[in-house]
Amino acid sequence: MKIDARNLSRVLADPGAWRILLLHGEDTGLIKERAQDAVIKIAGSADDPFRVAVLDRETHDKLMEEATALSLMGGRRVVRVRDASDTVLKPLEAFLAQSSDTLIILEAPGLSSRSKLRNFLEKHANCASIGCYPEEGRNLESSITRMLAEHKVRIDSDALHWLTSRLGADRAAARSEIEKLCLYAGDSGSLTLDDVRASIGDAGSVSLEDAAFAATEGNRIAADTALERALAEDTSPIAIARSFLGHLHRLRRVRAAMAAGVSRSDAVKALRPPVFFKRTASFNKALELWSLPALTKAVEETQALEYACKQTGSPDALLCRRYVSTLTARAAMQARR
């Protein structure tokens, strides 16, 4: 059964109601987090040797054996299958034809919508197919607030907006930054904008932000350096495209307000989260170089880049390099005029 957003929390809260959970999508960190949470809910531990079996790609052939094995110490067993693909479809069909209370969790990042495995499980009443995609906007804010609440830490609204704009698209990386903030908050249990800036500092998605700001002001060396740093840190090309898209959207929002008669300073001040004071000069320089039509075109090209990076087998890193080079050259040309 394909699980939509409305039923997602209910399904994740009670994974034991299913025989197979399929976790697929682009966010590998979120896939791993949801898989581990489901394992713990059923077995009480993520690494119980009697109730939890973990199969990687090289041991997929043991799936049926593990799925039908009995727990020596009692309790329901869980089989966690990493890098799942269509090759595990036949043993799963055989498993579903038998009576067993074992829960099978399939971790399948990047599994195509045309996958036979995915189509089969989405049509089966006892199986749940859950898409795990990078969160953004209000959804990301809600997840951040929830993760902080797990540690009884509160966060001011301005700090939350700023943090949302800084975190990358991968759930594991976001979770790591949240853990750091919780340690920083300590016994106070609250975080202000200054607290978050002091803790995150130049970590998180700073390489992406550096690249986006440098590119839109025509600084080729700084843009290329920041982009290569982001790629070296294993930042996904999709995250790179989304970071640039967010920056361009903010520039375009200010330009649109200016076209409606609002002063540039007032339009910039109205942005939420606000432009970080160290970035103000770069942001204003970009506003001088980019017209509203040019920003609209750049946004469309960035959306096309994200779509291209999602295609199986695409040279996504090369596409990002070419995109940043083109964007920077366009800004530099405007600066010379």
Side-chain angles (χ1 to χ4, degrees):
M1 180 182 296
K2 186 175 182 178
I3 306 301
D4 59 27
R6 294 170 298 178
N7 298 315
L8 182 58
S9 58
R10 176 179 57 81
V11 172
L12 294 176
D14 185 21
W18 310 87
R19 297 190 64 187
I20 297 176
L21 287 183
L22 171 64
L23 302 172
H24 62 87
E26 301 161 4
D27 194 334
T28 56
L30 183 56
I31 288 174
K32 291 178 181 178
E33 181 177 306
R34 285 176 171 172
Q36 180 161 305
D37 287 347
V39 170
I40 293 173
K41 281 186 171 68
I42 299 301
S45 168
D47 54 3
D48 186 327
F50 300 105
R51 297 180 61 185
V52 180
V54 180
L55 304 179
D56 54 25
R57 188 176 301 173
E58 289 71 29
T59 54
H60 282 179
D61 57 339
K62 296 182 179 180
L63 175 54
M64 193 60 182
E65 175 186 341
E66 292 289 352
T68 55
L70 298 176
S71 174
L72 297 178
M73 305 298 291
R76 190 174 181 184
R77 295 187 74 252
V78 182
V79 179
R80 185 174 176 179
V81 184
R82 292 174 173 155
D83 297 316
S85 64
D86 287 349
T87 58
V88 300
L89 178 56
K90 286 188 177 180
L92 290 178
E93 289 176 330
F95 167 75
L96 289 170
Q98 298 184 16
S99 176
S100 171
D101 68 348
T102 296
L103 172 64
I104 296 179
I105 302 173
L106 306 174
E107 299 178 42
L111 191 66
S112 168
S113 59
R114 298 186 296 275
S115 161
K116 293 180 180 178
L117 173 65
R118 183 170 163 182
N119 287 327
F120 172 76
L121 295 178
E122 289 182 350
K123 295 176 183 177
H124 201 288
N126 294 323
C127 306
S129 174
I130 300 173
C132 302
Y133 301 102
E135 295 177 312
E136 54 189 12
R138 291 184 178 179
N139 289 334
L140 181 55
E141 287 186 358
S142 296
S143 291
I144 292 172
T145 303
R146 186 170 58 254
M147 285 188 276
L148 288 171
E150 293 173 3
H151 298 271
K152 299 181 179 179
V153 174
R154 301 180 304 279
I155 185 169
D156 292 350
S157 59
D158 285 350
L160 177 60
H161 293 324
W162 188 87
L163 180 60
T164 300
S165 71
R166 298 282 292 184
L167 291 181
D170 186 80
R171 180 61 165 254
R175 172 70 74 172
S176 176
E177 295 298 334
I178 296 301
E179 296 289 345
K180 184 196 302 183
L181 284 170
C182 290
L183 289 174
Y184 184 92
D187 295 334
S188 70
S190 62
L191 292 166
T192 65
L193 180 57
D194 288 340
D195 292 332
V196 174
R197 282 176 172 168
S199 177
I200 300 297
D202 287 335
S205 60
V206 67
S207 297
L208 297 184
E209 194 170 280
D210 282 343
F213 274 80
T216 52
E217 65 172 286
N219 189 334
R220 176 66 182 272
I221 294 176
D224 286 347
T225 300
L227 175 64
E228 293 305 320
R229 189 189 309 130
L231 291 171
E233 293 168 351
D234 293 326
T235 304
S236 77
I238 293 174
I240 292 172
R242 289 183 174 176
S243 180
F244 272 77
L245 188 60
H247 178 57
L248 290 168
H249 270 310
R250 283 162 64 81
L251 287 170
R252 188 180 182 280
R253 192 173 302 127
V254 172
R255 265 295 181 181
M258 291 169 62
V262 179
S263 69
R264 183 169 73 181
S265 61
D266 287 344
V268 172
K269 289 178 182 178
L271 286 174
R272 290 293 180 272
V275 179
F276 189 39
F277 73 95
K278 291 183 179 180
R279 303 282 191 184
T280 304
S282 177
F283 194 86
N284 284 323
K285 183 176 180 179
L287 287 172
E288 295 173 359
L289 299 177
W290 294 85
S291 66
L292 182 56
L295 286 169
T296 300
K297 180 181 179 182
V299 166
E300 293 172 350
E301 291 172 346
T302 312
Q303 290 171 331
L305 171 67
E306 180 181 348
Y307 179 78
C309 289
K310 291 179 179 179
Q311 304 309 301
T312 303
S314 69
D316 45 13
L318 179 61
L319 291 174
C320 284
R321 291 187 176 99
R322 185 173 65 182
Y323 162 83
V324 172
S325 177
T326 301
L327 192 71
T328 307
R330 198 175 300 164
M333 185 181 299
Q334 291 297 322
R336 289 193 293 269
R337 289 183 178 179

